[in-house]
Amino acid sequence: MASMLLAHRLACGFQHNCRLLVIGSRHISQAAAKVDVEFDYDGPLMKTEVPGPRSRELMKQLNIIQNAEAVHFFCNYEESRGNYLVDVDGNRMLDLYSQISSVPIGYSHPALVKLVQQPQNVSTFINRPALGILPPENFVEKLRESLLSVAPKGMSQLITMACGSCSNENAFKTIFMWYRAPGCPDYSILSFMGAFHGRTMGCLATTHSKAIHKIDIPSFDWPIAPFPRLKYPLEEFVKENQQEEARCLEEVEDLIVKYRKKEKTVAGIIVEPIQSEGGDNHASDDFFRRLRDIARKHGCAFLVDEVQTGGGCTGKFWAHEHWGLDDPADMMTFSKKMMTGGFFYKEEFRPNAHGCAFLVDEVQTGGGCTGKFWAHEHWGLDDPADMMTFSKKMMTGGFFYKEEFRPNAPYRIFNTWLGDPSKNLLLAEVINVIKREDLLSNAAHAGKALLTGLLDLQARYPQFISRVRGRGTFCSFDTPDESIRNKLILIARNKGVVLGGCGDKSIRFRPTLVFRDHHAHLFLNIFSDILADFK
Amino acid sequence: MASMLLAHRLACGFQHNCRLLVIGSRHISQAAAKVDVEFDYDGPLMKTEVPGPRSRELMKQLNIIQNAEAVHFFCNYEESRGNYLVDVDGNRMLDLYSQISSVPIGYSHPALVKLVQQPQNVSTFINRPALGILPPENFVEKLRESLLSVAPKGMSQLITMACGSCSNENAFKTIFMWYRAPGCPDYSILSFMGAFHGRTMGCLATTHSKAIHKIDIPSFDWPIAPFPRLKYPLEEFVKENQQEEARCLEEVEDLIVKYRKKEKTVAGIIVEPIQSEGGDNHASDDFFRRLRDIARKHGCAFLVDEVQTGGGCTGKFWAHEHWGLDDPADMMTFSKKMMTGGFFYKEEFRPNAHGCAFLVDEVQTGGGCTGKFWAHEHWGLDDPADMMTFSKKMMTGGFFYKEEFRPNAPYRIFNTWLGDPSKNLLLAEVINVIKREDLLSNAAHAGKALLTGLLDLQARYPQFISRVRGRGTFCSFDTPDESIRNKLILIARNKGVVLGGCGDKSIRFRPTLVFRDHHAHLFLNIFSDILADFK
């Protein structure tokens, strides 16, 4: 740690370098940087172009063992802190992408440093259990301190997984097991054009953000509905956008009917609160409420994928909390900022949820004497009974039961690791920090500063910036085309700001939860200068 | 740590309890326990039945948020060390299952304790990167110290993943991308009856160890070949077993032909060196060599799943090294004992492997003047050219190229985390320990002690034990039926030995790599007593 702090102080000494970068006409003047010496840096500090010589050397080495063309640069995580990512050439950048939206409370947060250093936590990092069969003593306690303390409304059940894809794969399986329509030969999950739900083969059948993800990979014939393409600014296109959303919802219902006829019954609908990889596509809260209604009407499970939107960046812990659903979603997946993957779900989706079992005793009535083989067939139940006993006329006693009552149901959603308690441990502390420092309010506040500034830039540079949109710090805008978008990202990086793209021409903001107003202003000043010079 | 050591010493004081358990007629007398006071315990120590009252209380708590019926008991990992798993009721058990075969060098290994406590490693545990775009400076170095130092023959390429299922999913995708038969509408992966390759939806299409895994889940129509069912003892059934293996291989070839006709061309074959979840089913080295030949003959990729067999337990680092293949396998997946998932593969499978590109210049010859639209169509190439340029008669210049030359190929095998550097860090140290302590030789040696003892038990208790088999410590035997198998596992647990089942009536041994001869003898004594009393 000593070397880290020393290097930090040295780096601070070179602040004039960073100031040079932000000189120019300031359209926002309140950018008085608030410096947290213990944790965050106070601005970018660029020493080489990025990737610099050391990164390029390491990329060559990596490329020998795997395709390294996706690598942006190599990082010095020891020196990275707060909102600042330091690379191996000593460049320090304001990170608005945060490892594809997966760093919750900034790099090297002191609370997490302390946690790893505590002797009582060592065992958790080195003795990884098979959680489904041999959990550690504090398993439930750590889940209570972490995930259960932020459980979405209506969902009491929780299973952890190692990543986002496994979370969606297992959520799908849970839906299929729950659905089990007798006589239904096959099920499907309805997803939306532009959606991204992961790259394993079940997930991939619901991912449609880029064609390249799917080429050559066998897939399922599952229905894909259009996702609304809203026009901005929203207040000018109220009617058009309503019509657009209505069109998409109508198509959802049509597809559900069509796939039922095709005997690929839609067992569930999966949707992101904001389509992220697909281009930060928003829809109104009303759209999602209606979608939820459609799911209920047709008996489909309603699964919300919060892998990218979850964890507080929209100003609420889960983005779908903005919708104000009367009837909560059935299931919600998470990963990234939550440090572990997993999913929450309603109790009725437990693979072995007995609830209140409905047992019909046909010991005397069974066997045909009532005119049907079983007397309870006269009732015309929509939801069949759970169990039925028989004897007498049947020559032998016994009982039939629904598969959910099979004794081996516990292993139905299972794998060796089922996540990782060391991530639960870290997450418990992350959630402490989020609550203690009120980082949800911060995300709402800093997000407003960012969005206001972006709208101002849009007004001044309409030729480069359009469709500014966002919720909390989960903001984005469109550029004229992919080439300009990529050029802007590269220029920004060399000016000390890490940005990410999404869709075909959008730039997305995915800062950490410790991104504050002054970071927004710092970025806006730098980016304003870039746009002023851009040709 | 102080409290851990203190508790350890206290526990050692109660050794007489453990000795009580192993009293009885000793069929193996050399069981002089070698005690490593720093690390391993010297025997089981039972205080309650298992699960004890504290475990049962915690199971109730866990069951509120997820189905907890698969939980065996809750563990005290802080007190667990070496080959001994300690539960929350203070019971200390010799662990021959090691978290479904996923603990490489025992619990709380001092080398790993030290590693986590080193200040320079803290950052790796708290700053998890998106490895595909922003790897840490020591990424390649740690891979070299860990996975690359044990790379299987012929495979220079490596991608890490968070778990075994993701490893197989991405290996399949890599195979499909590599295969890309022009005009082929669909691909498949051939797997074997009894195989287990994971539970995500792509993997699940190749998993056939238990019907319950697949009920209600949509799947692919992919070919499933029979896996040899060998008769034991092998030396008595040489001819029958050869015929059985030949029958299975013939069926493999028939299926490849059949699925080509169905337009679901077999792009790859996946196989475990020892079918583990499916019942520890072995085949001869010759079987696998022939299977490899069949794969080559039909142009299918040959993928070996070493998720359970890999990491040294068979006496070689990878079980498939026993086969002595002339032409190495194409791809190999791993996870569990390797602490991180991932897969190795040959360079020709790189999604963006250009190799030596074959470029045809049809600037003058193209456009029909040779009697075919492109002159090179006269050649009848089996493997099409990689690229072709045109101009002149085509009115515009340009070039066609194979998709593997697409600039965005690097993102084709990708997800946010792509494993976890903190696991690579731990693994580097694990592999140090394996090499330093020559744990592969130990696995071969201790495995021999275990297998010899099991054969002896089989001779003495043929009514309970049959088909004793194994490689290294990766041993197993069959019991008469599932109910007796499960009963034996429960009795053993209460005598201080954790065992695992597999298939429908097998017991499997999956000890750590620090399992030594004296642990084998200790187990054999305890189990011999159990069998003597069993009714």
Side-chain angles (χ1 to χ4, degrees), chain A residues 303-355:
Chain A
L303 164 59
V304 182
D305 179 339
E306 293 246 25
V307 168
Q308 190 148 166
T309 50
C313 47
T314 67
K316 293 198 185 275
F317 205 91
W318 307 109
H320 81 275
E321 293 174 6
H322 291 280
W323 303 341
L325 293 180
D326 288 330
D327 179 10
D330 293 315
M331 212 173 270
M332 191 203 77
T333 51
F334 57 83
S335 189
K336 292 192 184 267
K337 276 198 182 58
M338 305 309 290
M339 319 203 67
T340 175
F343 58 109
F344 285 100
Y345 55 107
K346 287 184 173 165
E347 194 162 349
E348 67 191 276
F349 285 80
R350 273 176 80 131
N352 201 28
H354 294 212

Side-chain angles (χ1 to χ4, degrees), chain A residues 179-316:
Chain A
Y179 199 87
R180 291 176 313 108
C184 176
D186 214 352
Y187 311 110
S188 61
I189 299 284
L190 182 143
S191 57
F192 288 91
M193 287 308 306
F196 183 95
H197 300 294
R199 293 160 173 264
T200 48
M201 293 180 68
C203 294
L204 204 56
T206 61
T207 284
H208 322 286
S209 55
K210 290 203 178 76
I212 184 71
H213 294 332
K214 297 164 78 85
I215 290 172
D216 301 326
I217 313 298
S219 193
F220 296 108
D221 171 20
W222 289 357
I224 311 164
F227 192 80
R229 172 79 184 166
L230 299 187
K231 289 191 177 161
Y232 289 82
L234 295 177
E235 57 276 17
E236 284 179 26
F237 296 97
V238 174
K239 200 166 169 202
E240 287 90 335
N241 288 337
Q242 276 173 356
Q243 283 170 347
E244 168 67 356
E245 294 192 338
R247 178 186 73 87
C248 295
L249 291 171
E250 207 171 304
E251 183 72 14
V252 169
E253 290 212 65
D254 288 351
L255 283 167
I256 292 173
V257 173
K258 187 175 152 202
Y259 273 73
R260 194 181 297 140
K261 282 188 194 143
K262 280 175 89 166
E263 301 207 319
K264 288 181 182 289
T265 304
V266 177
I269 296 175
I270 184 169
V271 72
E272 297 157 276
I274 300 166
Q275 283 191 340
S276 306
E277 300 300 313
D280 269 32
N281 306 316
H282 294 243
S284 72
D285 296 340
D286 188 57
F287 171 83
F288 291 104
R289 286 191 297 264
R290 283 165 194 261
L291 184 63
R292 204 282 163 262
D293 289 344
I294 289 171
R296 192 188 321 95
K297 175 179 162 194
H298 292 276
C300 317
F302 186 58
L303 164 59
V304 182
D305 179 339
E306 293 246 25
V307 168
Q308 190 148 166
T309 50
C313 47
T314 67
K316 293 198 185 275

Side-chain angles (χ1 to χ4, degrees), chain A residues 43-73:
Chain A
L45 175 72
M46 301 305 291
K47 294 179 172 174
T48 72
E49 64 166 351
V50 181
R54 176 76 181 135
S55 270
R56 286 198 302 272
E57 168 56 29
L58 289 168
M59 283 152 103
K60 252 187 240 167
Q61 291 179 24
L62 178 60
N63 201 57
I64 296 168
I65 57 163
Q66 59 183 228
N67 186 313
E69 289 170 54
V71 170
H72 300 170
F73 48 85

